[in-house]
Amino acid sequence: GGVLATPAAGHRAVESSAYIHETPIQYFQSKIRAEQAIADWLPQNPDMRVILFLPGAIIGPGDNGPTGLGRLVIDVLKGDLPAIPVGGFTLVDVRDVADGMIQAVKKGKSGERFIISGQYHGMSSFIPLIGQAGGVKTPSLQLPYPVAWLYGAASELIAKISGNPPLATRVLIKTLNERTAVSTTKAERVLGLTLRPIEQSVQDSVTWFRKFGYTN
């Protein structure tokens, strides 16, 4: 995710959608450049089979890193999240992404793209899901965008001083507010993709983090 342009109101991004015009996030830039390089290289190397995957924000058990989304889950469980940020993201279980990739290897054609992602979830609904799964109280205060942006800037400054990862960044706040709805119709039709309920993914993620001591 993060590479498709935001569709017009009432529409969803699909595999043929254009790239986002510009993004300040180097991670997303690298994805776009990699896809473009593959598109240039593949016609001259037809014997190499390449299939492209565009997952949403990935959640689920086994997040050893943890990822940024995993850190958010941990922060909620530990009571370290002072307020609910604005925005949200499309979510997908890591196990569903893995299953989709396996099926694409079996059924996909070289050069095809597959969106593997669930529905969009706003932070105001996602964070309470974590609280419910973990039996912890979650913040009731929601930060408006300008305040959230300033919080991101302050978090970056504190991170530079402390050496710890920032709880939020200005780029993250901006990204969370670029809502892009996506369609998984192609993956459902070609790969037989089915997605488990996000409530199950959150519960399994919470259980895993606690089992392996991430919330101590």
Side-chain angles (χ1 to χ4, degrees):
V3 304
L4 299 178
T6 302
H11 295 271
R12 296 178 179 272
V14 296
E15 282 78 1
S16 59
S17 295
Y19 293 120
I20 191 170
H21 179 63
E22 60 181 38
T23 173
I25 302 178
Q26 293 180 340
Y27 174 57
F28 293 158
Q29 291 175 11
S30 71
K31 286 185 171 186
I32 294 172
R33 291 176 184 176
E35 282 207 21
Q36 292 171 334
I38 291 171
D40 293 338
W41 177 85
L42 200 54
Q44 282 72 48
N45 298 271
D47 294 335
M48 179 66 75
R49 185 163 171 256
V50 180
I51 301 172
L52 306 173
F53 304 95
L54 289 78
I58 298 175
I59 189 171
D63 188 357
N64 290 296
T67 60
L69 186 54
R71 286 197 298 269
L72 174 61
V73 174
I74 293 168
D75 287 341
V76 173
L77 295 175
K78 295 175 68 174
D80 290 341
L81 189 72
I84 298 176
V86 291
F89 28 52
T90 57
L91 290 166
V92 63
D93 192 290
V94 63
R95 295 162 292 188
D96 294 333
V97 174
D99 289 343
M101 294 174 74
I102 292 170
Q103 293 305 314
V105 170
K106 297 178 180 179
K107 303 174 183 177
K109 297 178 181 179
S110 185
E112 279 194 295
R113 301 167 101 193
F114 290 100
I115 293 174
I116 303 179
S117 183
Q119 299 299 312
Y120 178 90
H121 291 268
M123 285 289 197
S124 59
S125 62
F126 174 62
I127 289 176
L129 281 181
I130 302 172
Q132 293 167 15
V136 298
K137 185 178 180 180
T138 55
S140 57
L141 175 66
Q142 184 163 10
L143 296 180
Y145 182 81
V147 176
W149 192 91
L150 290 173
Y151 175 73
S155 294
E156 292 176 38
L157 178 61
I158 293 171
K160 287 182 179 179
I161 297 172
S162 67
N164 297 320
L167 291 176
T169 66
R170 287 167 290 179
V171 169
L172 174 62
I173 297 300
K174 183 177 185 298
T175 302
L176 288 176
N177 284 272
E178 293 176 350
R179 177 170 179 166
T180 301
V182 298
S183 171
T184 57
T185 299
K186 180 179 179 180
E188 292 169 1
R189 173 174 49 84
V190 177
L191 308 180
L193 178 70
T194 57
L195 302 176
R196 68 198 71 205
I198 193 61
E199 292 82 1
Q200 179 184 345
S201 303
V202 172
Q203 181 64 69
D204 292 349
S205 181
V206 167
T207 300
W208 190 89
F209 280 131
R210 283 181 166 166
K211 178 180 179 180
F212 290 97
Y214 284 79
T215 58
N216 294 343

